[in-house]
Amino acid sequence: MTTVLTGYGPWGIVAGGSDGVGAAFAHAMAARGMNVVLVARRVPVLEAFAGEIRARHGVEVRTVAIDLATPDALSQLEQATADLEIGLFVYNAGGDDRSAAFLDKDLATHLTLVHRNCHSVLEAAYRFGGPMVTRGRGAVVLVTSGAAWAGGATLAAYGATKAFDLILAEGLWAEWRDSGVDVLGLVLGKTDTPSMHRVLDGKGGSLGEVADPVDVAEQALDHLGDGPTWIWGSNPTGGSPFGAMSRRDAVLVMSRGATTTG
Ligand SMILES: NC(=O)c1ccc[n+]([C@@H]2O[C@H](COP(=O)([O-])OP(=O)(O)OC[C@H]3O[C@@H](n4cnc5c(N)ncnc54)[C@H](OP(=O)(O)O)[C@@H]3O)[C@@H](O)[C@H]2O)c1
């Protein structure tokens, strides 16, 4: 099954769309006929990737080089796309590629993560989801993580931001489900991306069993209408993998995972 996306609108945005999961989303969206706006910070990587999408899929591609952790990022993105009908917004950027204990990172690093992973996600949903609701069509994907299910050592701030994204997606799904706008909170486990490789380079460990970003993106696009939550793995519409485990035990399990591979 390959879902056609143009029913949502002619353009999609991938925030964090030049490598890893975001690049896979961009390819998959373009392959399904959508023009794409790609957002990232590193201009050469962004422009090279945009060229690849144009050449391979023959769609229109616009690049917007902004840092999603800055206060006016989403208003800049809104201005840069004001002439386009955005039918699908994928908020993908969100990885934390330096795993360390809470107090071993400076406060500014934590606040930057929170800005990109919470503040800007909410702003994206508001600024781009609002017009979708008004038009009665569209879709929003917020990419989150298994780190959202429970707290864990070295994951305190990251996991907290991902829990924010998960709950935000679920709440918006509930509010918008009768408006023609699909919302999906996409919960990922370990996925083979440059960001994940940087984590492993920083602390050692092996990749182990990982998802392919191409499969992740294709599956998410096939299930945009199956929100509120899509969990990569064997039980995609299920609940927390920790089930009835006590919160304490879940946190200890999560902490063990974080200190082995991440
Ligand atoms: N990979 C995994 O194992 C894994 C596991 C669970 C959940 N996830 C989730 O999956 C999503 C994607 O992860 P990923 O591993 O592909 O890496 P990622 O670092 O979240 O995403 C990389 C993309 O985002 C862009 N980006 C990062 N920070 C940005 C910023 N401040 N402003 C603008 N663009 C930014 C990067 O380009 P620039 O660097 O050029 O800006 C690149 O295009 C994240 O939300 C992550 O939490 C990943």
Side-chain angles (χ1 to χ4, degrees):
M1 173 184 60
T2 299
T3 311
V4 175
L5 300 176
T6 41
Y8 289 116
W11 282 84
I13 293 182
V14 186
S18 65
D19 73 22
V21 175
F25 264 106
H27 268 302
M29 287 157 65
R32 295 173 193 221
M34 220 172 207
N35 302 310
V36 287
V37 178
L38 306 176
V39 180
R41 294 163 300 179
R42 291 165 299 162
V43 174
V45 177
L46 183 60
E47 292 303 338
F49 183 64
E52 190 183 319
I53 294 279
R54 283 186 197 101
R56 201 152 126 194
H57 304 290
V59 298
E60 287 185 65
V61 181
R62 186 175 292 182
T63 55
V64 183
I66 47 172
D67 182 348
L68 292 161
T70 54
D72 57 352
L74 267 294
S75 62
Q76 281 179 39
L77 181 57
E78 191 177 41
Q79 281 166 30
T81 57
D83 57 324
L84 308 178
E85 182 188 338
I86 305 300
L88 170 59
F89 195 113
V90 178
Y91 199 107
N92 169 72
D96 179 11
D97 56 15
R98 196 175 76 82
S99 172
F102 183 68
L103 294 177
D104 290 343
K105 288 187 179 179
D106 57 32
L107 181 58
T109 302
H110 286 307
L111 295 177
T112 298
L113 183 83
V114 170
H115 197 99
R116 186 195 58 183
N117 286 12
C118 300
H119 185 129
S120 290
V121 178
L122 185 145
E123 209 175 325
Y126 196 91
R127 288 182 186 273
F128 290 91
M132 291 179 197
V133 171
T134 303
R135 285 193 296 267
R137 66 172 186 163
V140 175
V141 177
L142 304 185
V143 182
T144 177
S145 163
W149 296 127
T154 74
L155 294 168
Y158 173 70
T161 66
K162 292 285 132 177
F164 178 93
D165 298 337
L166 177 66
I167 300 299
L168 180 66
E170 291 181 341
L172 293 178
W173 176 87
E175 289 195 13
W176 295 348
R177 56 189 297 222
D178 296 324
S179 72
V181 178
D182 291 327
V183 182
L184 195 69
L186 177 63
V187 182
L188 300 187
K190 251 191 291 171
T191 308
D192 190 358
T193 67
S195 175
M196 175 47 84
H197 282 276
R198 285 193 293 273
V199 174
L200 293 173
D201 290 347
K203 68 175 185 179
S206 66
L207 208 50
E209 197 182 320
V210 282
D212 182 334
V214 172
D215 297 337
V216 165
E218 293 286 354
Q219 193 177 99
L221 295 181
D222 283 341
H223 292 280
L224 289 176
D226 296 325
T229 317
W230 190 265
I231 307 159
W232 176 263
S234 56
N235 189 13
T237 55
S240 160
F242 294 114
M245 195 183 281
S246 74
R247 294 294 298 180
R248 183 179 190 279
D249 286 346
V251 169
L252 293 174
V253 169
M254 185 68 91
S255 300
R256 267 201 303 279
T259 51
T260 51
T261 48

